[in-house]
Amino acid sequence: MRSEIRLSLHPISPTSTTLIRPIQHVQGLVHGTQLPGGFWSCSFILPTSESDFWDWRQNRMLHRLLIREQGGQVIWEGRLEIIELLDFWTARLGFFGYWSNFTDARFETASGEFITYTDTANNIVIDFRDTHIHADTLQLSTANGDIASPGVTLTLDFGRDISLWEAIEQLLRYGDSNDDPVDLMIYEDQKIILKARAPTAVKWTSPLRFVGRFAPRVDWKDTANALNVAYESAGTVLRTGYTTDVNSIGRYIRRELHIPNIGTSNLASATARRATELELRKEPQQQTDDITLSQVFDDKGQPASLCRVRAGDVIRFPDFIPTTADAAGGTPTLDALRTFFITATECDHDRGQLRIRPDRDSQKLSRILARRGIR
């Protein structure tokens, strides 16, 4: 289902409500979401005049793009980072969500090669924002209400002069106290959301007749039910002992996995990482390449706009078997068979198509090579 949307440009300050100009007659509009990140990227082609192009080029860098449905629902927002002249006079504009503000700041340590934290991930993220992003750089909300504690105290060293976004990617490799992954996302109002990946409801459904591409597979070699982790302490590489899942071993056979050096840490942090990895790997998990959709329905069964679907939502293909035993309105079983947690989306308005990336995407050789830039 397509919806009527409106694009508008606003000042650099993400809190400003001033309208600089509506944006009309765009072509090739594509925008997406991703974890970690939230609103991830957006691009489109815009016919311009010579003077209009130079106004974009000279005066509009980092200005805020807001995309809304006619009813006011925010579909995407972010800041202008790429301005490209395609011909005389047509421009391609590229925008990124406010996760990108974490790439504007670097760790600066007074001395030594590392900065060390011993704290929970929520407090570490807040300190990243409040201490290491300069006041004249910050474009993020300082609200903390959506930054939840994972309940695990970590001891981590972050290398000097890396970007804060690189540090966040390292931090999110550790799970919460229930061994669930932890996600960071920034959506409306530039608020940081940090929470465990433990959804409580299916938000979207799409019958298979609206699915253009769906190629699930399973691979035994991605399974591990006995696992240990290497880490560094005081310059020495150490290893945890193996942790196991007896039910998985009893059902199949024991399959071991070693997680290579995760960097400077301590035993408790390495143990938390080990528990999260075991939880993710103890059963053979269905993997799926990106799934393309032409229609979605909301939790009331009503047709909904494709561009409302976001990373962090749960989608179900109700007529793909086997069915799960979820009670009506109960916590969804993320079986990776017909019910998926979404980690990325891309909405293509010209094609009227949504592409989603499920929690466990395919690791087949062609996809691995593509990710590494090999064709």
Side-chain angles (χ1 to χ4, degrees):
M1 176 180 175
R2 299 191 189 203
S3 61
E4 184 176 343
I5 60 171
R6 297 176 179 177
L7 285 71
S8 56
L9 190 70
H10 302 265
I12 290 178
S13 171
T15 60
S16 174
T17 58
T18 300
L19 172 65
I20 292 178
R21 59 181 287 181
I23 304 174
Q24 299 174 320
H25 310 300
V26 303
Q27 304 165 10
L29 173 61
V30 177
H31 56 79
T33 64
Q34 184 170 307
L35 295 179
F39 289 136
W40 188 255
S41 64
C42 173
S43 66
F44 54 80
I45 295 171
L46 184 68
T48 68
S49 63
E50 180 178 0
S51 60
D52 194 32
F53 172 77
W54 286 107
D55 180 63
W56 282 101
R57 171 66 178 78
Q58 298 297 109
N59 302 319
R60 303 309 177 195
M61 183 65 75
L62 295 182
H63 278 54
R64 181 168 67 108
L65 171 70
L66 185 61
I67 304 178
R68 288 176 289 193
E69 290 184 340
Q70 190 171 16
Q73 169 75 33
V74 175
I75 298 303
W76 198 91
E77 70 172 343
R79 60 188 199 173
L80 178 62
E81 296 192 19
I82 300 173
I83 306 164
E84 177 185 3
L85 180 65
L86 297 181
D87 57 38
F88 304 115
W89 294 94
T90 303
R92 177 183 287 118
L93 303 180
F95 301 80
F96 291 89
Y98 283 98
W99 65 269
S100 191
N101 195 210
F102 280 113
T103 70
D104 297 324
R106 322 291 292 186
F107 270 122
E108 297 179 7
T109 59
S111 61
E113 292 300 315
F114 299 96
I115 182 169
T116 300
Y117 284 89
T118 300
D119 212 330
T120 52
N122 58 309
N123 290 330
I124 295 174
V125 168
I126 291 170
D127 190 70
F128 284 180
R129 182 198 63 200
D130 295 346
T131 301
H132 293 282
I133 298 182
H134 294 280
D136 54 0
T137 301
L138 184 65
Q139 292 185 299
L140 300 170
S141 168
T142 56
N144 297 332
D146 294 314
I147 305 177
S149 172
V152 177
T153 298
L154 304 171
T155 296
L156 301 173
D157 285 351
F158 296 101
R160 186 176 184 178
D161 297 328
I162 67 171
S163 76
L164 294 183
W165 187 249
E166 292 174 281
I168 284 174
E169 289 181 315
Q170 293 180 27
L171 177 64
L172 295 178
R173 295 170 186 166
Y174 301 84
D176 74 344
S177 57
N178 294 318
D179 304 329
D180 292 319
V182 174
D183 295 310
L184 181 143
M185 60 200 92
I186 300 170
Y187 285 124
E188 288 91 343
D189 303 320
Q190 304 82 46
K191 292 181 180 179
I192 300 173
I193 303 170
L194 184 78
K195 63 179 183 179
R197 190 175 298 181
T200 58
V202 174
K203 189 166 186 177
W204 310 105
T205 60
S206 185
L208 292 181
R209 67 182 181 276
F210 298 113
V211 179
R213 186 171 184 276
F214 186 30
R217 65 190 293 268
V218 291
D219 190 333
W220 167 247
K221 290 183 174 56
D222 295 316
T223 307
N225 47 35
L227 193 145
N228 73 349
V229 174
Y231 64 100
E232 287 187 28
S233 180
T236 301
V237 177
L238 303 172
R239 290 172 176 79
T240 68
Y242 275 95
T243 186
T244 61
D245 186 279
V246 294
N247 292 329
S248 175
I249 292 172
R251 184 177 179 184
Y252 308 109
I253 61 173
R254 178 178 172 121
R255 179 170 174 79
E256 298 177 350
L257 178 68
H258 171 68
I259 302 297
N261 191 350
I262 62 173
T264 305
S265 184
N266 65 357
L267 179 60
S269 301
T271 299
R273 172 70 179 274
R274 181 185 66 177
T276 300
E277 293 282 354
L278 180 66
E279 186 67 23
L280 292 172
R281 298 172 182 269
K282 65 185 181 181
E283 292 293 330
Q285 295 294 326
Q286 177 167 289
Q287 300 167 352
T288 308
D289 285 335
D290 291 354
I291 303 169
T292 57
L293 309 172
S294 60
Q295 178 67 70
V296 295
F297 297 84
D298 63 20
D299 56 0
K300 297 179 178 60
Q302 298 301 308
S305 169
L306 291 170
C307 55
R308 286 192 178 191
V309 181
R310 297 179 177 181
D313 293 344
V314 173
I315 189 168
R316 171 172 291 165
F317 304 104
D319 49 351
F320 185 67
I321 57 174
T323 60
T324 52
D326 298 349
T331 300
T333 300
L334 298 177
D335 53 18
L337 294 169
R338 67 175 194 140
T339 307
F340 294 91
F341 183 87
I342 300 170
T343 60
T345 68
E346 182 182 85
C347 189
D348 187 322
H349 286 258
D350 283 4
R351 295 182 177 179
Q353 184 179 88
L354 174 71
R355 189 168 72 208
I356 66 171
R357 184 182 307 158
D359 184 11
R360 291 178 178 85
D361 55 351
S362 174
Q363 297 293 316
K364 60 187 179 184
L365 182 59
S366 61
R367 188 157 177 94
I368 294 170
L369 294 177
R371 287 176 176 170
R372 296 178 181 177
I374 302 170
R375 297 290 187 268

